[in-house]
Amino acid sequence: MNENVMLEQTAEEWLASVRERVAGSTYVQYHMVTKKYILPAIGSRMCRALRGQDITAFLEECQTKPSYRGDFLSPSTVGNIRTVLRMILQYGTDRGYIPAFQVRYRIAGSKSIQGRCLSTKDARRMEAYLSGTDNVREYGLTLCLDMGLRLGELCALQWEDIDLENGILHIRKTVKKDETKDTDGNPKYQWIIGVPKSQKSYRDIPIPVPVEKRLKEFHSSVTDESCYFLNGRKDRFVLPRSYQASFRGYLKKMGIGDINIHALRHSFATRCLAKSDARTVSELLGHSSPSVTMNIYIHSTMETKRKAVNSISFRSGFVSG
């Protein structure tokens, strides 16, 4: 085992090794998490001396130490830190810098917000609220809930991408983070309009009839098709983080508890799969394959589970052979 390698050096080597193998936006996320959270805290540690309890202590501190704003890191942010750190440690282990050990750390609160579907009650409440709003920015949530758009795709959407004559929405771009350099050569990040997440993410989505009707109403006041859908401007798009902040306010107005905006896409996938086949739903979502749709995004609703258990109950007439 190499005796003189610090975690910082291992992390830099790992970042260089993945730069050409992952999407640009993914690399930016890896780079930001490494530089902002991991290296300032444990970058100076010698790799040969690292142990599982050291990583656990670091992740615990991430969850309990207030940031400079006075709040705490969200469960999703701590989850990203854990994921990136695991990859760095595995890279170091493969090269003999770091002794082999597993990182096992449960992130408090992660299951309460991330990866959840809206309940049927909350989905209906949201749809009722959105159907009555005259605010295009609010109504944008409908495109996530009823058409499965990703947040970046929604923020990048322009009116020219919405074919109201044929009832089709074209996904051709997304908002993502990109790395640039400042005048001193240090990395900095900016939001840009870029290509979709993958080749499969380029897609055409049929617009549901009720949604098409509302879009035509909003379109009546549009003067330039190049305007962004959410804000009606040509010179500026809505940043994902800004829309996420708005989303929290919308939830309060609807009387719906805290949930990640990506849950709307989860809910769309779940409801859609109940009425269609996995391949069709996979193409609507822009996934690489139906297995991705089935394994990651689909959640059985409580109603589906109740129907399943009732169907095999002796009281329902089921007779064992």
Side-chain angles (χ1 to χ4, degrees), residues 40-315:
I42 58 175
S44 61
R45 297 290 298 272
M46 299 302 295
C47 288
R48 59 181 172 78
L50 283 173
R51 298 294 184 271
Q53 58 265 34
D54 301 316
I55 305 305
T56 297
F58 164 64
L59 293 172
E60 182 69 31
E61 184 178 14
C62 288
Q63 286 212 112
T64 58
K65 182 179 179 180
S67 69
Y68 68 91
R69 297 187 303 269
D71 57 0
F72 295 90
L73 296 180
S74 68
S76 62
T77 298
V78 179
N80 289 337
I81 294 171
R82 181 183 60 183
T83 298
V84 172
L85 185 54
R86 278 175 171 165
M87 290 189 285
I88 294 172
L89 294 173
Q90 186 60 56
Y91 178 89
T93 299
D94 292 344
R95 280 149 187 79
Y97 302 158
I98 301 173
F101 59 81
Q102 290 186 322
V103 178
R104 292 176 177 170
Y105 182 78
R106 184 183 179 279
I107 300 170
S110 58
K111 291 186 178 180
S112 64
I113 297 176
Q114 299 290 13
R116 254 175 54 189
C117 281
L118 284 171
S119 67
T120 300
K121 178 181 178 181
D122 283 345
R124 288 173 177 167
R125 181 178 295 176
M126 180 175 289
E127 286 183 330
Y129 178 88
L130 294 174
S131 66
T133 184
D134 292 323
N135 186 322
V136 177
R137 186 178 173 114
E138 283 186 337
Y139 191 76
L141 294 176
T142 300
L143 305 188
C144 299
L145 183 62
D146 289 347
M147 299 180 69
L149 266 66
R150 298 179 176 96
L151 175 57
E153 295 168 345
L154 176 63
C155 291
L157 191 69
Q158 294 169 283
W159 278 103
E160 63 191 16
D161 302 317
I162 305 173
D163 181 355
L164 292 174
E165 182 176 348
N166 296 299
I168 299 174
L169 191 148
H170 305 287
I171 301 298
R172 298 291 183 268
K173 52 190 178 292
T174 189
V175 174
K176 60 176 66 176
K177 276 186 177 180
D178 187 44
E179 179 187 4
T180 60
K181 302 288 185 181
D182 61 20
T183 54
D184 297 323
N186 299 313
K188 67 176 184 178
Y189 307 102
Q190 63 180 0
W191 291 97
I192 65 168
I193 299 291
V195 297
K197 186 176 181 180
S198 68
Q199 190 62 38
K200 289 284 188 178
S201 295
Y202 289 91
R203 61 200 191 279
D204 298 326
I205 306 174
I207 303 173
V209 174
V211 177
E212 182 179 349
K213 180 180 178 181
R214 290 305 315 278
L215 290 178
K216 286 180 177 178
E217 293 173 1
F218 288 124
H219 184 257
S220 63
S221 61
V222 174
T223 57
D224 193 317
E225 298 298 309
S226 66
C227 290
Y228 289 101
F229 172 75
L230 287 178
N231 61 7
R233 299 181 59 160
K234 295 191 298 181
D235 61 331
R236 183 183 302 172
F237 51 83
V238 174
L239 296 179
R241 64 188 179 193
S242 175
Y243 198 70
Q244 286 174 320
S246 297
F247 177 64
R248 288 191 289 271
Y250 301 155
L251 289 177
K252 290 181 180 179
K253 287 197 288 185
M254 297 176 203
I256 298 174
D258 191 18
I259 193 168
N260 191 288
I261 193 171
H262 199 69
L264 275 60
R265 181 170 156 89
H266 279 245
S267 298
F268 168 79
T270 301
R271 292 183 297 155
C272 201
L273 193 71
K275 302 292 185 180
S276 186
D277 61 278
R279 180 165 296 280
T280 297
V281 179
S282 177
E283 291 179 1
L284 287 171
L285 292 168
H287 286 162
S288 59
S289 69
S291 63
V292 173
T293 306
M294 295 296 292
N295 292 335
I296 299 178
Y297 285 90
I298 304 306
H299 305 266
S300 293
T301 63
M302 184 55 66
E303 290 82 355
T304 302
K305 293 173 182 175
R306 192 180 305 280
K307 184 182 295 184
V309 297
N310 283 332
S311 71
I312 62 171
S313 169
F314 285 104
R315 293 187 180 91

